[in-house]
Amino acid sequence: MLKQHRRALAWLVGLACVAGAVVALFDIETPLRPFLISLFLLVVPGAAVVGLLRDRDPLAALSVGAAASLVLNVLLAEAMLLFNAWSPRAGVATVAVLGGFMYVLRVLYRGKSMQTEQGARAR
């Protein structure tokens, strides 16, 4: 039962993050705009990093994910200000691309470890 609630919460947060990206990229005015965009910018990088830290202590992985999310957003903002290229849309797009890249790394990493485990079982 608890696993179903976690899965539902994960889907809900995921959909809210997608909505935040859509709202930012297409400049949609809504009262939920600040909440959805902030949720996207804080959750996506952190979730991507936590996904790379499999088989770790959950609290440690969550702490590292939160820190990585803040660091990524601050470095991105600093770089955009340094190069005089401030653009909220570009910031959201960059976070989305980096999050997607980390997701691909996670899939490749897990696929490699799954093949290794299957090879070890066959012996």
Side-chain angles (χ1 to χ4, degrees), residues 18-28 33 37 40 88-90 92-93:
V18 169
V22 169
V23 163
L25 292 174
F26 295 109
D27 201 23
I28 299 171
R33 180 183 173 98
I37 295 173
F40 172 81
R89 285 183 180 171
V92 169

Side-chain angles (χ1 to χ4, degrees), residues 4-7 13 15 31 36 38 41 50 66 78-79 93 95 101:
Q4 291 174 343
H5 291 300
R6 279 187 185 171
R7 187 175 300 254
V13 170
L15 289 174
L36 291 173
S38 298
L41 290 174
V50 168
E78 286 284 333
V95 168
F101 177 69

Side-chain angles (χ1 to χ4, degrees), residues 71-93:
V71 167
L72 178 79
N73 283 305
V74 168
L75 287 176
L76 177 61
E78 286 284 333
M80 289 190 333
L81 288 173
L82 180 67
F83 294 112
N84 200 19
W86 182 258
S87 170
R89 285 183 180 171
V92 169

Side-chain angles (χ1 to χ4, degrees), residues 39-114:
L39 186 70
F40 172 81
L41 290 174
L42 292 175
V43 169
V44 169
V49 169
V50 168
L52 292 173
L53 298 174
R54 64 185 208 119
D55 300 335
R56 303 281 191 244
D57 176 38
L59 185 59
L62 186 63
S63 300
V64 169
S69 181
L70 291 173
V71 167
L72 178 79
N73 283 305
V74 168
L75 287 176
L76 177 61
E78 286 284 333
M80 289 190 333
L81 288 173
L82 180 67
F83 294 112
N84 200 19
W86 182 258
S87 170
R89 285 183 180 171
V92 169
T94 304
V95 168
V97 168
L98 289 174
F101 177 69
M102 285 188 271
Y103 179 76
V104 168
L105 285 177
R106 174 184 168 187
V107 168
L108 292 174
Y109 177 70
R110 287 194 178 197
K112 182 179 180 181
S113 66
M114 294 292 279

